[in-house]
C-alpha cells in the first residue's frame, strides 16, 4: 500500500523534456498556458518559451458567457492582456495574434483610433472602410497596403509613424479614399518601394513630413490648394513638385545637412514663395541662397533663421542673410543668429528702411564685427520699434559694454527700444 501511494506522488508529466511540455502548452490558449505557471516551480516559466502568442477576445468572452461588448468590457480585457504580456519575456516569438477587437471597435463606431502594430498585414485591417473614423494614427514597422475599396468618409486626421508604402497606388488610394482629410503627419516612413510620394488633396490644411527613410529615389509631389501649414524636416529627395499652395500661411523648412547638394531645392522655395511666415534651418538657407535666380518672397512678413555656428564656416559662397533681404520687400519681423549675416550690404535693403519693426539677434558677442551689425541695423532701420539682443553664453562682463555702445549709437528710428538679454 505504501508503495502504491509513493507511485501516485510521482509527477511524470513534469519530468518530460521542455520541448514536449511546450508542445502540450501549444494546444492551450495563451491565457491558459500562462495560468499553468502556478502549478509548480517546474512550470513557472515554461510558457515563456511559447513561440506563438494568441489572444482572441471573442472566444474568451464567449467562454465567460459574455455576449455584449461594452467599452468597459473591452478596456478590462485589454488591461488583462497587458498584464499577461508583462510575464512573456520570450525573445523567439514566431507568431502573435490579437483577434476581433479591431473589428469590434469599428462596428461600434470608433472615432479616434491609435493603432501601433507590426504583426498584422495592413490589407487585412478593417479600418480602411470605417465610416465613423475621424482620427487615425498608424505605426509601426509594417507596410501599408491600402485596399482598392478604401473609404474613410469622415477621416480628418491621419498620422503615420514608421510605416512603409507597398507601391505608388497605395499612396494615391489612401488620399482618394479620405475626401475630408485636413491634417496629415508622416514620421520616419519608408519610401523605398515607391517612386512618387503624391500628396494631392483639396481640403488638406496641415502637412508635416519628418525624416523619411530610403527617399533618395523618390519624388515628392504636393498639390493642396487649402494647405495653411507645411513642416518639412527631411533630406533632399530626387525631385519636387509644389503646386497650388496659395493658402499657405506658415512653412518650416528644415532640410538635413548633406555632403553634396545633388538635388535642386529651387522648386521647394518657388512653391512656398507666397507664404507670410517662414522658418529655415541652416542647410535650408544655404540651399535657398544657391537658387538662381533667387525667389522673391513678396508676402513674407516674418522670418526665423535658427541657424547655428556651422553656417559661418560651411557656406562656400560666403553669402548670407544680407543677400536674402533684398528678396523680402514686406518683411516686418526677423529673428536670426548673428553668424548668418555675413556682411553688411552697401545698398540698404528696402525692408530695413521701410518695413522691419522687430529684429532679434541671437548668439551676439562683444566683438567689433558683431557690434557693427547691430549699429548698421539701428542706423538704417527706418521704422524699427524693437531690437532684441540675445548674447552668447560666454558673454558676461561684455554685456554692459554692449549696452553702452548700442545705446550711444545713431538711430534712424528714435522710438526704437533696445533690449539686451
Amino acid at each position: 500500500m505504501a508503495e502504491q501511494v509513493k507511485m501516485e506522488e510521482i509527477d511524470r508529466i513534469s519530468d518530460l523534456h521542455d520541448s514536449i511540455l511546450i508542445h502540450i502548452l501549444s494546444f492551450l490558449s495563451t491565457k491558459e498556458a500562462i495560468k499553468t505557471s502556478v502549478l509548480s516551480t517546474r512550470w513557472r516559466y515554461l510558457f515563456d518559451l511559447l513561440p506563438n502568442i494568441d489572444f482572441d477576445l471573442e472566444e474568451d468572452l464567449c467562454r465567460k458567457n459574455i455576449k455584449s461588448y461594452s467599452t468597459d468590457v473591452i478596456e478590462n480585457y485589454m488591461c488583462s492582456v497587458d498584464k499577461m504580456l508583462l510575464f512573456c519575456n520570450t525573445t523567439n516569438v514566431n507568431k502573435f495574434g490579437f483577434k476581433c477587437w479591431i473589428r469590434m471597435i469599428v462596428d461600434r463606431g470608433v472615432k479616434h483610433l491609435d493603432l501601433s502594430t507590426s504583426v498584422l498585414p495592413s490589407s487585412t485591417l478593417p479600418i480602411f472602410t470605417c465610416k465613423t473614423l475621424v482620427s487615425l494614427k498608424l505605426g509601426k514597422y509594417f507596410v501599408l497596403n491600402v485596399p482598392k475599396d478604401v473609404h474613410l468618409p469622415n477621416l480628418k486626421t491621419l498620422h503615420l509613424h514608421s510605416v512603409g508604402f507597398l507601391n505608388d497606388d497605395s499612396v494615391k488610394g489612401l488620399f482618394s479614399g479620405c475626401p475630408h482629410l485636413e491634417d496629415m503627419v508622416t514620421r520616419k516612413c519608408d519610401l523605398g518601394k515607391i517612386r512618387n510620394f503624391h500628396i494631392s488633396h483639396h481640403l488638406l490644411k496641415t502637412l508635416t513630413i519628418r525624416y523619411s527613410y530610403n527617399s533618395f529615389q523618390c519624388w515628392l509631389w504636393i498639390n493642396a490648394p487649402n494647405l495653411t501649414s507645411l513642416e518639412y524636416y527631411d533630406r533632399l529627395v530626387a525631385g519636387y513638385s509644389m503646386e497650388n499652395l496659395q493658402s499657405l500661411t506658415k512653412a518650416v523648412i528644415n532640410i538635413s545637412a548633406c555632403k553634396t547638394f545633388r538635388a535642386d531645392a529651387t522648386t521647394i522655395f518657388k512653391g512656398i514663395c507666397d507664404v507670410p511666415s517662414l522658418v529655415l534651418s541652416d542647410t535650408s538657407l544655404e540651399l535657398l541662397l544657391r537658387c538662381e535666380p533667387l525667389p522673391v518672397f513678396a508676402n513674407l512678413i516674418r522670418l526665423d533663421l535658427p541657424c547655428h555656428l556651422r553656417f559661418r564656416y560651411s557656406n562656400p559662397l560666403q553669402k548670407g542673410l544680407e543677400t536674402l533681404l533684398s528678396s523680402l520687400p514686406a518683411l516686418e519681423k526677423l529673428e536670426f543668429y548673428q553668424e548668418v549675416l555675413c556682411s553688411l550690404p552697401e545698398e540698404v535693403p528696402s525692408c530695413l528702411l521701410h518695413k522691419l519693426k522687430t529684429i532679434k539677434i541671437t548668439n551676439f558677442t562683444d566683438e567689433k564685427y558683431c557690434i557693427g551689425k547691430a549699429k548698421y541695423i539701428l542706423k538704417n532701420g527706418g521704422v524699427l520699434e524693437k531690437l532684441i539682443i540675445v548674447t552668447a553664453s560666454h558673454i558676461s562682463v561684455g554685456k554692459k559694454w554692449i549696452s553702452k555702445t548700442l545705446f550711444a549709437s545713431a538711430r534712424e528710428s528714435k522710438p526704437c527700444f533696445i533690449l539686451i538679454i
Side-chain angles (χ1 to χ4, degrees):
M1 186 70 176
E3 184 178 353
Q4 183 178 356
V5 173
K6 187 177 181 179
M7 291 285 293
E8 291 176 351
E9 290 178 350
I10 296 176
D11 184 358
R12 297 190 182 278
I13 295 180
S14 296
D15 289 337
L16 295 173
H17 192 271
D18 282 359
S19 61
I20 298 176
L21 294 178
I22 293 302
H23 181 68
I24 294 172
L25 288 180
S26 68
F27 291 97
L28 302 177
S29 68
T30 300
K31 291 182 67 175
E32 290 172 333
I34 293 175
K35 288 179 180 179
T36 63
S37 63
V38 301
L39 293 177
S40 68
T41 54
R42 174 73 176 93
W43 291 80
R44 183 172 298 173
Y45 301 110
L46 278 174
F47 73 90
D48 213 16
L49 302 175
L50 283 170
N52 298 331
I53 300 175
D54 187 39
F55 295 99
D56 192 325
L57 172 59
E58 186 173 18
E59 182 179 329
D60 289 344
L61 295 183
C62 285
R63 289 177 182 175
K64 297 179 181 180
N65 200 29
I66 299 176
K67 297 181 179 180
S68 62
Y69 308 124
S70 65
T71 302
D72 291 339
V73 169
I74 295 176
E75 288 182 352
N76 289 335
Y77 183 82
M78 296 292 289
C79 288
S80 67
V81 170
D82 287 340
K83 291 178 181 178
M84 282 184 284
L85 287 176
L86 290 175
F87 293 100
C88 295
N89 299 316
T90 182
T91 58
N92 63 336
V93 175
N94 178 59
K95 179 181 179 182
F96 183 91
F98 200 8
K99 301 176 182 177
C100 296
W101 72 273
I102 298 177
R103 168 58 66 187
M104 288 178 182
I105 60 174
V106 168
D107 291 342
R108 292 183 63 83
V110 62
K111 293 183 179 179
H112 305 279
L113 179 59
D114 189 343
L115 178 60
S116 182
T117 176
S118 59
V119 297
L120 295 173
S122 60
S123 58
T124 66
L125 299 180
I127 57 175
F128 292 113
T129 54
C130 182
K131 297 180 180 180
T132 58
L133 266 182
V134 176
S135 172
L136 175 60
K137 298 180 180 180
L138 289 178
K140 300 179 179 177
Y141 313 120
F142 70 100
V143 177
L144 197 63
N145 183 12
V146 180
K148 294 181 179 180
D149 61 344
V150 57
H151 184 52
L152 300 167
N154 289 303
L155 191 70
K156 293 185 177 181
T157 299
L158 177 62
H159 291 189
L160 304 176
H161 191 316
S162 303
V163 169
F165 292 92
L166 183 65
N167 49 43
D168 289 14
D169 290 338
S170 286
V171 179
K172 293 180 180 178
L174 185 60
F175 283 101
S176 62
C178 306
H180 294 99
L181 189 64
E182 295 181 359
D183 169 45
M184 181 173 180
V185 176
T186 68
R187 181 189 295 269
K188 298 181 178 180
C189 287
D190 189 346
L191 307 182
K193 292 186 177 182
I194 63 175
R195 289 294 174 263
N196 296 283
F197 191 30
H198 209 300
I199 302 175
S200 179
H201 203 285
H202 66 293
L203 292 182
L204 191 65
K205 294 181 179 179
T206 61
L207 174 62
T208 301
I209 299 175
R210 287 180 175 268
Y211 313 118
S212 304
Y213 288 112
N214 302 316
S215 59
F216 59 94
Q217 291 184 338
C218 181
W219 271 71
L220 175 62
W221 304 72
I222 300 179
N223 187 337
N226 281 296
L227 193 69
T228 59
S229 175
L230 171 63
E231 295 186 17
Y232 184 71
Y233 303 80
D234 216 335
R235 297 181 178 89
L236 285 175
V237 297
Y240 297 87
S241 176
M242 315 282 278
E243 298 179 355
N244 297 321
L245 300 181
Q246 61 271 13
S247 299
L248 202 62
T249 59
K250 180 180 180 180
V252 179
I253 307 298
N254 189 332
I255 298 173
S256 302
C258 50
K259 294 182 180 180
T260 59
F261 298 123
R262 291 177 296 176
D264 187 7
T266 303
T267 305
I268 298 177
F269 299 113
K270 284 185 176 180
I272 64 170
C273 65
D274 289 329
V275 68
S277 178
L278 179 61
V279 180
L280 293 176
S281 67
D282 45 10
T283 304
S284 303
L285 177 59
E286 291 185 51
L287 288 168
L288 173 57
L289 294 173
R290 290 170 179 264
C291 295
E292 295 182 2
L294 192 65
V296 176
F297 292 80
N299 301 317
L300 191 66
I301 296 175
R302 176 172 180 170
L303 176 63
D304 187 0
L305 302 172
C307 306
H308 300 288
L309 284 169
R310 193 191 73 80
F311 182 88
R312 181 180 176 187
Y313 302 106
S314 67
N315 185 3
L317 301 179
Q318 289 303 307
K319 292 194 298 184
L321 176 60
E322 69 283 353
T323 304
L324 183 59
L325 287 175
S326 61
S327 296
L328 312 175
L331 192 64
E332 296 182 4
K333 186 173 183 179
L334 172 64
E335 297 184 14
F336 66 97
Y337 273 65
Q338 60 90 7
E339 291 86 356
V340 304
L341 187 60
C342 297
S343 62
L344 303 178
E346 295 182 6
E347 184 178 349
V348 182
S350 62
C351 62
L352 181 58
L353 289 171
H354 308 294
K355 292 292 183 178
L356 271 165
K357 298 178 181 179
T358 301
I359 298 178
K360 180 179 179 180
I361 310 175
T362 302
N363 205 42
F364 202 85
T365 70
D366 55 0
E367 297 178 61
K368 184 177 179 180
Y369 76 90
C370 195
I371 297 292
K373 297 175 184 180
K375 285 185 174 181
Y376 179 89
I377 290 171
L378 288 171
K379 180 181 178 181
N380 297 290
V383 295
L384 195 62
E385 298 175 357
K386 184 185 295 184
L387 176 62
I388 304 172
I389 303 292
V390 181
T391 57
S393 57
H394 65 277
I395 299 296
S396 56
V397 180
K399 276 188 179 182
K400 292 183 178 180
W401 184 79
I402 292 173
S403 299
K404 182 178 180 181
T405 303
L406 294 185
F407 279 106
S409 299
R411 303 186 208 179
E412 180 65 20
S413 177
K414 304 301 181 184
C416 178
F417 174 74
I418 303 175
L419 177 63
I420 312 291
I421 302 176

